[in-house]
Amino acid sequence: MMIVMMVKAQLKCIECSTTYALDQVRYSCDCGGLLDLVHDLEALRGQVSRELFDGRIGGETLADASGVWRYRELILPAPQEVIVSRPEGNTPLYRSPRLSQWTGLDDLALKHEGENPTGSFKDRGMTAGVTQARRLNARAVACASTGNTSASLASYGAIAGLPVVIFVPEGKIAFGKLAQALAYGARTLQVAGDFDAAMRLVQEVCRELDIYLLNSINPFRVEGQKAILFELLQQREWQPPDWIVLPAGNLGNTAAFGKALVELRQLGLIGRVSRLAAVQAEGANPFYRSFTGGFRRRERVNADTIATAIKIGDPVSFSRAVRAIQWTEGVVTQVSDAQIMDAKAQVDAAGIGCEPASAASVAGARRLAAEGVIKPGESVVAILTGHLLKDPGATVDYHLNKLGNITPAYANAPTAIEPTLEAVRAALGSAWA
Ligand SMILES: *Cc1c(COP(=O)(O)O)cnc(C)c1O
Ligand SMILES: [Zn+2]
């Protein structure tokens, strides 16, 4: 006799616990609360194991090759034929003596999510979100974005053959990201206003025009982003680091990491959860402000930071992220734009490279080490969220000392010379001559 185990996943409101079927087009509860995709962890307990996931590495199917769908039981129960994958994930864990020394953290590793197909971790959520769009027979997909979400959606939508509409805040999107959206063929609308205005608009548009919304309010994107955590733990032979440090903007990743850790512990795949440290830019710090007030109030700010990917004043996944910090005994900290850009210069000069927002995690880790929050000897994984080439403008302006209010500590400006050997000798200085 064959016993078919029906694993029932459903959507559940994180405020009032109302449940909804997975095949409904729905992003929030009738009460306004955010939705979680809840898996039947009891049923999954007998089905998933470290060995199952380890055995899929090197597998030939698209699902096994993907650093998201390798963990499919814990992401989205979808038939493999409908999966829209590049495949994403499989990003490296770097170690750098230079960065250990600069941050004061002996046991520091960097997981580089900028080495995903479109250059940011957004691909992890997008493969799940666009797969769900396909399952729902969506006629089109849309998002509001500071850049990386739109770049990712434009690519995955093109692969799925779905029309893509993206809403970007006018004049505030880094060049690498805008170039991707246009190149992948997305209908691009530049909204006169900031990200938060574009976000409100896209929600209304999706409701009125019957377009599937793929911002991180979408619970399926959060599920895909959990795989950053799954993969990083698998790379560490399922040994959780003491700390995981990440940049925090719209708080989708913070939410996803907390959920991933708790699920793995409930399944017995890990014995303890890592502490999360979410890092905000000083000029875009609503989550930090709320944390310092014991999360008694939800804060909103008018966001301003050079790190455009975290320039968000009213984060969508706020309540999910509060829960993640509480579940993991986590902390929230903040760093200045100058600290972000100096940390970026260090990550870049280590030969690794990242976009400005990513460097917030390294700047934040350094700050937490200096304050003694992260203790000497504790193991730390910092997440680099986006690729160096996403925002060439910020990088070049830093090295040319053209950032106005930021004085670069580690500028590496080019030297203009005449085309002669003497000029080269003079430029390189005595050490080379
Ligand atoms: C989206 C993004 C972030 C912010 O992540 P949230 O999940 O919105 O907090 C940080 N860095 C980069 C490069 C991003 O693209
Ligand atoms: Zn509800």
Side-chain angles (χ1 to χ4, degrees):
M1 191 180 70
M2 201 173 86
I3 300 171
V4 181
M5 288 267 271
M6 281 294 291
V7 177
K8 229 176 118 259
Q10 54 189 355
L11 297 173
K12 184 175 178 186
C13 174
I14 76 167
E15 306 295 343
C16 76
S17 298
T18 302
T19 59
Y20 302 94
L22 278 198
D23 55 6
Q24 276 192 30
V25 177
R26 173 174 273 288
Y27 318 103
S28 56
C29 180
D30 288 338
C31 82
L34 295 171
L35 298 175
D36 260 348
L37 199 169
V38 289
H39 299 276
D40 184 346
L41 294 180
E42 272 315 304
L44 285 172
R45 190 178 270 278
Q47 292 179 32
V48 300
S49 61
R50 294 177 180 182
E51 292 72 28
L52 175 73
F53 298 138
D54 291 349
R56 287 175 180 165
I57 290 183
E60 279 170 17
T61 64
L62 193 57
D64 283 356
S66 162
V68 172
W69 298 103
R70 181 175 304 138
Y71 316 99
R72 48 194 171 267
E73 289 85 355
L74 306 180
I75 306 280
L76 173 64
Q80 292 200 29
E81 323 74 81
V82 306
I83 289 172
V84 184
S85 172
R86 298 245 350 216
E88 47 294 311
N90 302 301
T91 60
L93 267 183
Y94 289 113
R95 286 187 180 271
S96 160
R98 176 190 182 118
L99 291 175
S100 285
Q101 204 204 2
W102 189 72
T103 55
L105 295 164
D106 296 333
D107 188 355
L108 173 70
L110 302 158
K111 181 145 180 75
H112 206 327
E113 287 295 304
E115 300 191 12
N116 266 294
T118 77
S120 84
F121 76 81
K122 299 300 195 299
D123 295 342
R124 302 250 191 192
M126 215 48 87
T127 185
V130 173
T131 295
Q132 178 66 6
R134 200 188 236 182
R135 291 177 78 205
L136 295 170
N137 292 315
R139 63 175 191 136
V141 289
C143 71
S145 172
T146 59
N148 282 331
T149 300
S150 52
S152 184
L153 180 58
S155 166
Y156 281 79
I159 287 174
L162 283 167
V164 176
V165 190
I166 64 168
F167 295 72
V168 296
E170 190 183 24
K172 288 161 190 151
I173 169 166
F175 233 54
K177 306 175 188 185
L178 181 60
Q180 286 177 294
L182 300 177
Y184 291 130
R187 193 80 179 79
T188 303
L189 305 177
Q190 293 187 310
V191 182
D194 61 6
F195 170 79
D196 300 297
M199 185 67 225
R200 282 188 295 273
L201 180 60
V202 74
Q203 297 194 44
E204 183 188 349
V205 168
C206 284
R207 210 167 41 237
E208 295 300 319
L209 304 188
D210 186 27
I211 297 175
Y212 191 61
L213 177 63
L214 275 167
N215 271 94
S216 60
I217 191 174
N218 184 307
F220 297 92
R221 278 196 45 205
V222 174
E223 289 305 297
Q225 286 170 209
K226 290 189 321 195
I228 301 169
L229 237 273
F230 297 160
E231 190 179 280
L232 115 67
L233 289 169
Q234 188 170 28
Q235 285 167 310
R236 294 176 50 95
E237 294 172 348
W238 303 99
Q239 299 307 309
D242 295 309
W243 289 92
I244 296 170
V245 188
L246 74 164
N250 230 347
L251 303 177
N253 247 0
T254 307
F257 284 20
K259 188 167 187 282
L261 284 164
V262 166
E263 287 174 353
L264 287 184
R265 192 180 51 189
Q266 282 180 12
L267 289 165
L269 270 75
I270 56 173
R272 62 175 183 123
V273 300
S274 305
R275 296 181 72 185
L276 294 180
V279 186
Q280 295 215 286
E282 273 174 15
N285 65 355
F287 195 49
Y288 172 75
R289 289 183 189 208
S290 179
F291 171 77
T292 56
F295 287 133
R296 278 181 296 279
R297 276 165 47 100
R298 176 169 181 168
E299 305 281 349
R300 293 173 177 82
V301 303
N302 286 320
D304 185 25
T305 167
I306 191 170
T308 50
I310 52 174
K311 186 176 167 183
I312 290 163
D314 186 11
V316 166
S317 284
F318 193 90
S319 49
R320 286 181 185 130
V322 169
R323 196 178 60 171
I325 295 297
Q326 290 169 339
W327 277 343
T328 64
E329 291 176 57
V331 300
V332 185
T333 190
Q334 66 172 359
V335 289
S336 69
D337 277 8
Q339 289 168 331
I340 288 173
M341 291 308 289
D342 286 339
K344 172 176 150 53
Q346 288 291 329
V347 174
D348 294 352
I352 296 169
C354 66
E355 73 162 276
S358 307
S361 61
V362 174
R366 185 176 193 239
R367 174 175 176 171
L368 293 171
E371 291 173 347
V373 177
I374 300 181
K375 304 276 179 315
E378 286 191 315
S379 51
V380 179
V381 176
I383 309 296
L384 298 179
T385 43
H387 196 279
L388 169 66
L389 293 175
K390 287 285 193 172
D391 193 349
T395 306
V396 172
D397 286 349
Y398 175 89
H399 290 291
L400 297 183
N401 193 8
K402 283 189 178 165
L403 287 179
N405 48 353
I406 295 173
T407 306
Y410 310 108
N412 178 30
T415 311
I417 60 160
E418 292 300 318
T420 65
L421 180 59
E422 299 84 82
V424 174
R425 279 217 170 95
L428 294 183
S430 54
W432 294 71

